[in-house]
Amino acid sequence: MFEARLGQATILKKILDAIKDLLNEATFDCSDSGIQLQAMDNSHVSLVSLTLRSDGFDKFRCDRNLSMGMNLGSMAKILKCANNEDNVTMKAQDNADTVTIMFESANQEKVSDYEMKLMNLDQEHLGIPETDFSCVVRMPAMEFARICRDLAQFSESVVICCTKEGVKFSASGDVGTANIKLAQTGSVDKEEEAVIIEMQEPVTLTFACRYLNAFTKATPLSTQVQLSMCADVPLVVEYAIKDLGHIRYYLAPKIED
Amino acid sequence: MQKSITSFFKKQ
């Protein structure tokens, strides 16, 4: 028996919004430690890794490890039927071929449930090696989204250059060149507005705008985003999900032809 | 050139 309950459907809606542009379907691996999802986008350029800890749920029970393959378009249709403040509960029997998603209004006067067919998806788990990153940048998630959106107008690629002075995002195309520099913030009243750079050595890497923009669909989940970079390894873009877990996106760099 | 994520992370 698997049962996981969250106080607010809005969190699950935001999580789905953060992954459904990259993934058509995905397997949710449930165990007593929580829910894990790892999947590559169709073109195998990026990897999404979602971790939701069992202690972050209002109620969590998972008697046996369970892999639930879900069509994310179908799940989005179901989540559209929930009000943001509704409680949401996911339930499945051991070895079931369906999952039930139930919404309850705060006053318990409206209860709706949706049974969704599960899919057998080919599981291709990738091993992610531990990396000592050259640069780790923490910055406001909204600012990162804005930069990715703005620079996508100029080029298919963004060059991210990180030094101890700051981080520079550049794009160059037919229109010309765009450069956006962010300096490390000295002192800020609000932690969520800070730009913080931890640098071992400077790094310059090129990434596809299209994927960066897809990752920023996670912006509503978190006030800050963390970018971890190292020469010739995938970029890690991490959004914390408060008291519940995190979503990490890995993006392979572009290299010169 | 866009590299594939599988050229960095190997299947388990």
Side-chain angles (χ1 to χ4, degrees), chain A residues 2 12 16 19 23-30 35-37 39 66-76 78-79 90-92 97-101 116-121 123:
Chain A
F2 165 73
L12 203 53
L16 194 69
I19 60 175
L23 311 173
N24 297 324
E25 58 248 335
T27 300
F28 291 74
D29 293 314
C30 308
I35 301 175
Q36 290 265 359
L37 176 156
L66 182 69
S67 291
M68 299 193 293
M70 295 192 200
N71 179 300
L72 299 184
S74 304
M75 199 178 178
I78 292 170
L79 286 178
M90 287 184 286
K91 271 188 202 177
D97 54 6
T98 62
V99 60
T100 299
I101 301 177
M116 183 171 74
K117 292 181 192 127
L118 295 174
M119 310 166 76
N120 258 326
L121 301 173
Q123 291 258 53

Side-chain angles (χ1 to χ4, degrees), chain A residues 36-48:
Chain A
Q36 290 265 359
L37 176 156
Q38 195 211 71
M40 285 185 280
D41 73 281
N42 281 337
S43 53
H44 292 191
V45 170
S46 67
L47 180 80
V48 180

Side-chain angles (χ1 to χ4, degrees), chain A residues 193-207:
Chain A
E193 289 172 7
V195 176
I196 295 162
I197 297 166
E198 287 166 26
M199 193 206 74
Q200 311 302 324
E201 56 185 321
V203 63
T204 300
L205 288 163
T206 304
F207 300 103

